[in-house]
Amino acid sequence: MRLRRLPLVLMAMLWAVTTLLGNNPLSRPARAQAPAWSQQQEEQPGPYFALVIGIDEYPKLNKQSQLKTAVKDAEEIARILREDYEFEVVLLRNREANRDGIMSALNSVNRKLSKDGNLLIYYAGHGKYDSQGRKAYWLAYDADEPDDNTHWISADEITAFFWRMSARHILIVSDSCYSGGLSMREAHPGFTESDWDKYVQKMIQGSSRTLMSSGGLEPVEDDHGGDHSVFANALIRGLAQMTPDTFPARNLFNDFIQVRVGGSSEQMPQYDFIRNSAQEYGGGDFVFLRKKQAAATGDAERQRQQCDRQIISACLNLSSLYRNGTGVDKNEERAGELQEKALTLQRRACDAGSGQQCLNLGYEHEFGRLGAPVDT
């Protein structure tokens, strides 16, 4: 298990330490091109950066503390952000993700950020809560145990970086120790296309410092009978299947992560602003933006080849591309065929003993996703 415990007092600490976020006067020229955006939009989103961290190996910890899926989770998230979205990605795995490596990467990304930039930090690995010091930590590759925190990275250090970052939007996605209480909003209703465009524009124009975590105060599982943690599996599927091609992180969480993770495990994922009042940030949220048609065409061919090799996620991704007409001619019939193929592959994998695919299959039937009949 990736253990992480973070009582409400730490969340309050995070909110307090970021009081002046969003008012940072520092502004640095970005080295990445801002993504293309509809001419009808009033404002373009700035460039996108991601620091993705995955740690399975902890050479100074005991054998039971070694993880199984953190690196795979990080690699797949990094691939999706780089190939399907508009991110410049820095990926740190195992030895690369020692304490010095993580802090150096944060500094490097910080030098690239502009005041309209977007930063996503993804962490998969061990987390620890020091009850005496009331501090939460990420454990770097070179972390010691149990009482030597020399190579741990505290929540205070991560949030202190925010004081120096002029990015408009920062999203932390943590399959580890960042957790705490929050009040949830309902998933979005059936927006018209015009309403959705206005909603997304407001999220872009505002600013935000936001946290998405895999659990609250409870232990969080490393694997769940599959190649990825239950949280990473839901995140990967959401990034592949969310429609339309621009969407706030809050909607990704509501539509794909909250119920899927909370309903299929003992953990309850969390999503909230790191500050107490979102209005002080202008009511914004981190907005994901898929790449345009040219990039999608090459992706469609890759997904087709992988689907031919019976890879379930590729069949689902290809179905989404056909449904949206992204990189291929729009074809609802073909999308439906690929959905049915994915369901068939899920059933076979479940029958063969894959716990993760049994959970996924149950979720599809419970909520009628992918054309599966609703099982009441």
Side-chain angles (χ1 to χ4, degrees):
M1 287 187 175
R2 302 176 199 168
L3 298 179
R4 72 274 299 170
R5 297 182 180 278
L6 182 62
L8 301 180
V9 65
L10 183 63
M11 203 62 179
M13 177 189 73
L14 293 176
W15 292 334
V17 79
T18 56
T19 300
L20 296 180
L21 293 176
N23 296 322
N24 192 333
L26 298 178
S27 177
R28 303 170 181 83
R31 298 180 187 175
Q33 295 296 319
W37 192 249
S38 171
Q39 293 182 353
Q40 283 76 32
Q41 297 291 349
E42 297 177 1
E43 185 170 349
Q44 294 182 352
Y48 283 78
F49 300 91
L51 173 59
V52 181
I53 304 165
I55 310 172
D56 284 334
E57 301 172 3
Y58 287 88
K60 298 181 181 179
L61 306 188
N62 59 36
K63 184 177 180 180
Q64 290 71 32
S65 297
Q66 308 308 306
L67 300 176
K68 299 178 181 179
T69 67
V71 169
K72 289 181 181 178
D73 295 346
E75 288 175 338
E76 182 62 9
I77 295 297
R79 184 197 67 78
I80 292 172
L81 295 178
R82 183 185 297 114
E83 295 182 4
D84 299 345
Y85 291 83
E86 298 284 351
F87 285 82
E88 177 181 317
V89 179
V90 175
L91 173 62
L92 302 180
R93 292 164 290 193
N94 289 328
R95 185 181 299 274
E96 300 165 336
N98 57 48
R99 178 183 164 81
D100 287 347
I102 293 174
M103 302 306 285
S104 176
L106 282 169
N107 276 300
S108 178
V109 171
N110 184 40
R111 287 191 290 270
K112 299 180 180 181
L113 288 171
S114 60
K115 64 181 180 181
D116 63 343
N118 305 274
L119 173 63
L120 186 153
I121 302 172
Y122 176 89
Y123 174 81
H126 272 305
K128 188 175 181 63
Y129 177 70
D130 178 2
S131 58
Q132 292 183 333
R134 294 189 174 185
K135 292 184 180 296
Y137 296 86
W138 284 346
L139 270 60
Y141 167 84
D142 49 353
D144 299 283
E145 71 168 0
D147 300 320
D148 185 350
N149 64 3
T150 303
H151 300 106
W152 303 356
I153 299 176
S154 73
D156 291 352
E157 290 180 276
I158 299 298
T159 53
F161 260 93
F162 294 172
W163 288 69
R164 300 166 51 195
M165 290 178 170
S166 56
R168 178 171 294 182
H169 298 288
I170 298 177
L171 172 64
I172 293 180
V173 181
S174 180
D175 204 353
S176 183
C177 64
Y178 271 93
S179 303
L182 73 163
S183 57
M184 299 302 303
R185 302 176 189 172
E186 296 181 354
H188 65 84
F191 287 121
T192 66
E193 184 174 351
S194 175
D195 288 340
W196 181 262
D197 289 343
K198 293 177 182 177
Y199 167 62
V200 171
Q201 179 62 204
K202 287 181 179 179
M203 295 302 99
I204 293 171
Q205 289 176 336
S207 57
S208 64
R209 300 292 186 269
T210 323
L211 166 70
M212 185 189 300
S213 69
S214 57
L217 308 182
E218 68 281 355
V220 177
E221 300 183 22
D222 176 39
D223 61 4
H224 206 76
D227 292 334
H228 301 289
S229 75
V230 63
F231 175 79
N233 183 66
L235 178 61
I236 290 166
R237 291 168 72 89
L239 289 171
Q241 298 175 30
M242 274 293 291
T243 56
D245 287 338
T246 57
F247 53 89
R250 165 74 71 173
N251 297 84
L252 170 65
F253 177 82
N254 287 344
D255 291 358
F256 279 88
I257 296 174
Q258 183 181 13
V259 175
R260 180 182 290 274
V261 176
S264 63
S265 68
E266 296 300 318
Q267 64 202 70
M268 180 54 68
Q270 308 287 319
Y271 188 91
D272 204 5
F273 296 99
I274 294 177
R275 292 189 54 179
N276 189 30
S277 173
Q279 287 186 339
E280 294 183 49
Y281 287 129
D285 194 7
F286 193 99
V287 172
F288 288 88
L289 173 64
R290 281 196 181 92
K291 288 184 177 180
K292 297 303 179 181
Q293 190 80 7
T297 301
D299 182 55
E301 181 58 31
R302 287 192 297 272
Q303 300 296 343
R304 183 180 294 108
Q305 292 174 1
Q306 292 179 6
C307 182
D308 290 342
R309 297 198 299 270
Q310 312 297 304
I311 298 175
I312 297 172
S313 60
C315 294
L316 294 173
N317 293 342
L318 188 58
S319 173
S320 179
L321 294 179
Y322 273 106
R323 177 162 287 105
N324 298 320
T326 306
V328 293
D329 292 336
K330 190 171 184 178
N331 189 327
E332 288 287 346
E333 182 178 357
R334 180 58 177 152
E337 292 172 352
L338 289 163
Q339 283 185 350
E340 183 57 38
K341 179 177 181 178
L343 284 170
T344 299
L345 292 173
Q346 284 183 331
R347 294 187 189 101
R348 291 175 182 172
C350 178
D351 291 342
S354 170
Q356 183 65 66
Q357 293 306 327
C358 288
L359 289 170
N360 289 341
L361 188 61
Y363 181 85
E364 317 301 1
H365 281 282
E366 182 177 359
F367 294 95
R369 295 225 186 236
L370 304 181
V374 177
D375 185 0
T376 57

